[in-house]
Amino acid sequence: MSTGGDRSLNRSSFVWTFSAYGVVGLSGLALNWAIVEQFDVAALGRYNLFVAVVLVGGQLGSVSIHSSILYHAPEARTLGHSTGQVLSSGLLLTLATSTIATVVIAVAVEVIFGITENPAYHDGLRAVLPALLLYPINKALLSHLNGLRRFRAFSVAFAARFVLLAVFALIAGFHLKSEGLLPWTISATEVLILVVLLLRLRSELVPSGRRVTLEDRYRRHIRFGLRGFVGGLLLDLNTRVDVLLLGLLAGSRSVGVYSISSLFAESIFQLAMVARYSYDPVVTTLFVEGRFDELRETIHLAKRRVYLLMVAVIVLANLAYPIVVGMLFGKGLVRESWPVFALLCSGIAISAGYIPFTNLLQQVEAPGRQSLLLGLVGGTNVLLNLLLIPPFGIVGAALATAVAQASFVLYIRFLSRPLLGFSP
């Protein structure tokens, strides 16, 4: 495979992934505005807690099998092996693990909220159980699309989730005027995404090749998934630990105010992260083929470009933040949330060039080190949130998250050098 081919493909993929990023950002803005406008900030906090439960619980259900698919699909494609076997074996394993995790969480919900008698959270968590079951399956399907470099289909499906969430929230808020329906919109979204992905990948669902090879795929997925489980769990947990701990320590309204800041900060983070979807399969291809000099060049070039882009974006975003938030949510929320936004942006600015390579260790077949990397970042995040939220509230959560995000740079450079022969 030629170098020029890899780079041309990357340029093409960026068009689709950045377009998806734009759609995701606008959809997230519409969703948050609709909930605050029709209900209140506390309702937004509750909604984002339900989303956090689905993301973290869904990762438990996936046991990081989707990460194995994301590595083994481009590997199989590069070596000329059956990619259908990668998907079909991974999908069946994910169905089994997701079912077990959903049942365990459902029982826990009934026990805990049967004792505490909190109907808003009890009913909401019941409503997102279908999403808990389907989210890991959809992650596996999306990972396969990404691994095959079908960037157009991946970008459309990725953006469609956020569009559907926004549309359903608008319907629940403005047409049906029911906050109780908001958690159900999360499950409805996952059902529709599943249908779209199964139709798009129907040709891959027939595993061609020898049975003994398919059985080997099961074993490889299990080994890879178990080694990468902690990392996969923490990748999602790290993006929601501040929300979960704020909900536990400071209440729904604090989560709602924080969510407004984190909505805009997350959009900036995703601007850097969006390149990851293009680089993940390319990193695996270069690693499998032993093209380490080209891998080093690819990483360093991407870092320089992303840092230049992100510094400019973050400066402009902080200038525009009070204007946009004041128009959409009111000046009172600007005063409360702007310091949070500025702190979150500082962590993103420090780590921006490394964000597209968040999965670097996983994509060079080191899921154990990937787990260690994200365990270090996650441990830093949790510890600092526990220390800083009680005295400083949402500002403490933002500072903790920013420091943890910045620490990612030190951890990934240290852990990847022995494998690659250079520091990324």
Side-chain angles (χ1 to χ4, degrees):
M1 186 178 298
S2 68
T3 302
D6 289 338
R7 291 178 179 169
S8 174
L9 183 59
N10 281 336
R11 286 193 295 270
S12 174
S13 73
F14 286 153
V15 174
W16 285 100
T17 51
F18 275 104
S19 297
Y21 159 78
V23 172
V24 168
L26 291 174
S27 299
L29 188 61
L31 187 153
N32 281 258
W33 172 81
I35 295 174
V36 173
E37 180 72 14
Q38 190 60 31
F39 304 111
D40 53 27
V41 175
L44 177 62
R46 284 188 289 273
Y47 177 86
N48 279 296
L49 282 171
F50 294 137
V51 171
V53 168
V54 171
L55 292 178
V56 177
Q59 182 59 47
L60 285 170
S62 75
V63 198
S64 212
I65 299 299
H66 70 283
S67 298
S68 179
I69 293 173
L70 183 55
Y71 172 80
H72 287 109
E75 180 201 47
R77 184 175 180 268
T78 300
L79 298 175
H81 297 163
S82 169
T83 55
Q85 289 190 343
V86 174
L87 177 61
S88 58
S89 55
L91 210 55
L92 288 172
L93 286 171
T94 302
L95 177 60
T97 57
S98 183
T99 300
I100 293 170
T102 302
V103 170
V104 170
I105 292 172
V107 171
V109 166
E110 295 304 317
V111 171
I112 293 171
F113 289 95
I115 297 172
T116 59
E117 296 183 354
N118 189 325
Y121 283 105
H122 196 179
D123 293 343
L125 289 170
R126 284 173 170 173
V128 298
L129 287 176
L132 273 170
L133 174 66
L134 298 180
Y135 180 68
I137 297 170
N138 288 337
K139 286 186 74 167
L141 292 165
L142 277 168
S143 294
H144 196 68
L145 275 177
N146 193 16
L148 295 180
R149 300 189 186 182
R150 296 184 184 178
F151 295 116
R152 181 186 304 181
F154 172 82
S155 299
V156 171
F158 178 76
R161 169 179 281 131
F162 296 89
V163 172
L164 288 170
L165 285 171
V167 169
F168 286 149
L170 287 165
I171 293 172
F174 287 91
H175 181 61
L176 300 175
K177 301 185 185 301
S178 172
E179 182 188 343
L181 289 177
L182 288 175
W184 286 103
T185 66
I186 301 171
S187 290
T189 295
E190 294 305 318
V191 171
L192 290 179
I193 292 297
L194 175 65
V195 173
V196 171
L197 289 172
L198 288 176
L199 289 174
R200 188 64 184 83
L201 284 167
R202 59 189 181 277
S203 62
E204 289 283 306
L205 295 172
V206 179
S208 60
R210 295 180 301 129
R211 177 71 189 177
V212 65
T213 309
L214 181 60
E215 292 171 351
D216 181 61
R217 286 291 176 200
Y218 285 113
R219 290 191 290 269
R220 295 181 70 181
H221 280 319
I222 292 170
R223 287 197 300 268
F224 196 104
L226 290 176
R227 285 188 292 158
F229 172 66
V230 174
L233 174 62
L234 290 171
L235 182 60
D236 282 337
L237 182 59
N238 282 338
T239 63
R240 292 295 183 271
V241 66
D242 43 6
V243 170
L244 292 170
L245 290 176
L246 266 175
L248 180 64
L249 300 175
S252 297
R253 189 183 185 281
S254 293
V255 175
V257 175
Y258 189 88
S259 295
I260 293 172
S261 303
S262 64
L263 163 67
F264 290 93
E266 180 72 13
S267 295
I268 294 174
F269 178 83
Q270 288 298 330
L271 180 58
M273 179 67 87
V274 71
R276 190 197 86 188
Y277 303 115
S278 298
Y279 280 116
D280 277 349
V282 171
V283 166
T284 296
T285 297
L286 295 177
F287 176 76
V288 169
E289 295 180 349
R291 295 151 62 185
F292 290 98
D293 289 340
E294 189 173 342
L295 178 58
R296 180 176 62 247
E297 179 187 351
T298 298
I299 293 173
H300 289 171
L301 179 62
K303 279 172 49 184
R304 290 194 297 271
R305 290 176 173 175
V306 172
Y307 270 124
L308 287 173
L309 171 65
M310 295 306 296
V311 169
V313 168
I314 287 171
V315 170
L316 292 174
N318 274 275
L319 293 174
Y321 184 85
I323 300 171
V324 176
V325 173
M327 290 174 57
L328 293 174
F329 302 103
K331 292 183 179 179
L333 287 175
V334 172
R335 289 190 295 272
E336 288 186 83
S337 64
W338 196 4
V340 172
F341 177 70
L343 283 170
L344 292 173
C345 282
S346 67
I348 296 170
I350 293 170
S351 61
Y354 291 83
I355 291 173
F357 300 99
T358 297
N359 283 349
L360 176 64
L361 294 168
Q362 170 189 292
Q363 295 308 115
V364 297
E365 205 176 8
R369 281 183 177 254
Q370 181 77 14
S371 292
L372 178 58
L373 167 66
L374 295 175
L376 290 169
V377 176
T380 303
N381 203 357
V382 171
L383 177 62
L384 290 177
N385 268 279
L386 289 173
L387 290 174
L388 297 176
I389 287 176
F392 302 113
I394 59 175
V395 173
L399 178 59
T401 301
V403 172
Q405 182 62 40
S407 73
F408 173 76
V409 175
L410 298 176
Y411 295 142
I412 193 171
R413 287 175 62 86
F414 175 75
L415 291 171
S416 59
R417 182 175 180 81
L419 295 174
L420 302 177
F422 62 88
S423 295

